[in-house]
Amino acid sequence: MIRINHELKASDLKNKLTRFWELSAKKIKLIEKNYDESKGSPVFTINGKYSTRGWTEWTQGFQYGSSILQYDATGEKPFLETGRKKTVEKMAPHVSHMGVHDHGFNNISTYGNLLRLMKENKTPFNEWEKRFYELALKISGAVQASRWTTIKNGGFIHSFNGPHSLFVDTIRSCRALVVSHCLGHVFQGEGDVKIDLLERVIQHLKATANYSVFYGEGRDSYDAWGRTAHESVFNAKDGNFRCPNSQQGFSGFTTWTRGLAWAMCGFAEELEWFDTISETALENFGGKNNLESLMLKAAKATCDFYIENSCTDGIPYWDTGAPGLSKMGDYLNKAADPFNSYEPVDSSAAAIGAQGLLRLGKYLQDKGDDKNSDRYWQAGLSVVNTLLDEPYLSINDAHQGMILHSIYHRPNGWDHIPAGSKIPNGESSMWGDYHIREVSLYLQRIVNNEKYYTFFNCI
């Protein structure tokens, strides 16, 4: 269980954040100089150098988005120019990519961040540049929404596995639909039928909350408050739920912690957005109070599960039911050990989950729930405080990664195991590096009293 530091303040991390961005600049330049983009998107490191491996091209937006975040944090214009140039040159295929559920990753991280900077007056206003970003975001949200499976009580955006498959990851890609909707886009289907993007956002959020997250209500023998399933499987013909499953975790009845983190972050930031929507706009979808209650329940449950099932320093192992954990004694009552002989930790889950904890804490603080807000906010700060230091912060100038000990696909054996070790460790991932930058930017803007950072600042 996380040993929450209730005395820690965001401002206490100021020196660590300064050091972080100095290291980050070196890493971005190192990748830009040495990575061969003809091989595809960089995914994770092997011996400190980024390589490509995966099912889909889902990480390129994190690569260029990192340059954009670097500019946001430091004001160094070369990073803005790199992010802008690469977005224009490389990201168009991701806007029209019909085969993935990752539009909120690739396109909000690039086109969305660039539009946000312009709206925040951090870059010069240009009407046609703005329209270019808006068009990309409108189309991206519509393409994402087209991956639709109807079920008996709604529907969901299905994963690249097919129409039967609801991934918990996709909760964070709902941002693409939100932005497209808020930019006024009209999504049209067969026979010019107009499809309501807001309705699809809400139905996907409901499906994820109802099927991907567990609440200790007896859905199965392993139901526990806040447990998540990576994949929820449906009969695509009759719309019935069949079973929980996992592609990257140990099983459908254990919790893959990166999937848990996606839910934590996704529900928290969608709660923030729903708070800006009028009750009238949500009357036909069950009402604002009901929707916010559902999302708040899911956000609290997943954040509670993370706190209870991470180590004292805030770092989780890659799956809470990984079999090797049984050989590690009382591992939750001590700091995580990325160099153990049984199961790897996943720093990328920590980087994603920390943002969920912080956003939920801030949301509850704004609602006047000081007791619960403090718990989540301080837990988030405690996790970030750990990540911004060794052994997780990558201080070796030759290593291209930003945070170490990230895991991609343990069951498939895709992660590099260094010589002399029995488990993967010491490597980084593009999503982990992007999300540690994102949560660091989030905190830095709070420390500096800048505009509160949200994905919907681009609207």
Side-chain angles (χ1 to χ4, degrees), residues 224-298:
W225 174 258
R227 169 192 144 209
T228 58
H230 178 199
E231 182 179 43
S232 299
V233 177
F234 292 80
N235 183 323
K237 290 187 175 181
D238 64 15
N240 280 311
F241 172 74
R242 300 308 305 155
C243 63
N245 189 33
S246 188
Q247 298 294 315
Q248 289 171 260
F250 178 66
S251 81
F253 300 98
T254 63
T255 295
W256 174 55
T257 52
R258 193 164 84 243
L260 172 71
W262 290 130
M264 295 163 63
C265 189
F267 280 114
E269 66 181 357
E270 294 293 351
L271 269 171
E272 291 178 323
W273 177 68
F274 267 87
D275 206 33
T276 70
I277 306 304
S278 70
E279 291 190 20
T280 303
L282 300 172
E283 282 180 354
N284 294 331
F285 305 113
K288 184 172 182 175
N289 288 340
N290 288 335
L291 291 170
E292 288 185 332
S293 293
L294 179 69
M295 286 189 288
L296 184 57
K297 180 181 178 182

Side-chain angles (χ1 to χ4, degrees), residues 121-283:
N121 297 316
K122 286 200 165 191
T123 59
F125 178 80
N126 180 285
E127 182 67 28
W128 278 105
E129 185 179 352
K130 176 177 79 76
R131 289 182 179 272
F132 172 74
Y133 298 146
E134 288 178 340
L135 180 60
L137 292 164
K138 287 177 179 179
I139 303 307
S140 175
V143 172
Q144 178 80 108
S146 70
R147 295 188 61 80
W148 193 251
T149 294
T150 299
I151 57 178
K152 288 194 171 180
N153 54 353
F156 61 87
I157 301 162
H158 58 256
S159 82
F160 59 70
N161 274 350
H164 63 285
S165 173
L166 166 63
F167 270 11
V168 70
D169 318 21
T170 312
I171 187 70
R172 197 153 202 240
S173 271
C174 277
R175 295 177 298 165
L177 280 70
V178 168
V179 170
S180 183
H181 164 75
C182 290
L183 290 173
H185 186 54
V186 177
F187 175 34
Q188 295 188 161
E190 298 292 334
D192 291 341
V193 171
K194 292 179 175 57
I195 298 167
D196 192 331
L197 290 172
L198 177 58
E199 181 178 20
R200 293 214 163 170
V201 169
I202 291 170
Q203 289 192 4
H204 184 87
L205 289 168
K206 285 182 174 180
T208 304
N210 289 330
Y211 295 104
S212 301
V213 183
F214 291 75
Y215 303 101
E217 297 170 349
R219 281 178 54 196
D220 61 35
S221 297
Y222 304 99
D223 195 342
W225 174 258
R227 169 192 144 209
T228 58
H230 178 199
E231 182 179 43
S232 299
V233 177
F234 292 80
N235 183 323
K237 290 187 175 181
D238 64 15
N240 280 311
F241 172 74
R242 300 308 305 155
C243 63
N245 189 33
S246 188
Q247 298 294 315
Q248 289 171 260
F250 178 66
S251 81
F253 300 98
T254 63
T255 295
W256 174 55
T257 52
R258 193 164 84 243
L260 172 71
W262 290 130
M264 295 163 63
C265 189
F267 280 114
E269 66 181 357
E270 294 293 351
L271 269 171
E272 291 178 323
W273 177 68
F274 267 87
D275 206 33
T276 70
I277 306 304
S278 70
E279 291 190 20
T280 303
L282 300 172
E283 282 180 354

Side-chain angles (χ1 to χ4, degrees), residues 337-344 410 416-418 421-425:
D337 177 11
F339 305 105
N340 74 84
S341 298
Y342 301 104
E343 298 288 356
R410 178 64 171 151
H416 177 65
I417 300 176
S421 178
K422 295 182 179 180
I423 62 166
N425 59 56

Side-chain angles (χ1 to χ4, degrees), residues 67 70-71 74-84 122 124:
S67 292
Q70 184 75 25
Y71 167 76
T74 67
E76 298 171 277
K77 290 187 177 179
F79 292 103
L80 172 64
E81 294 309 313
T82 295
R84 180 188 280 145
K122 286 200 165 191

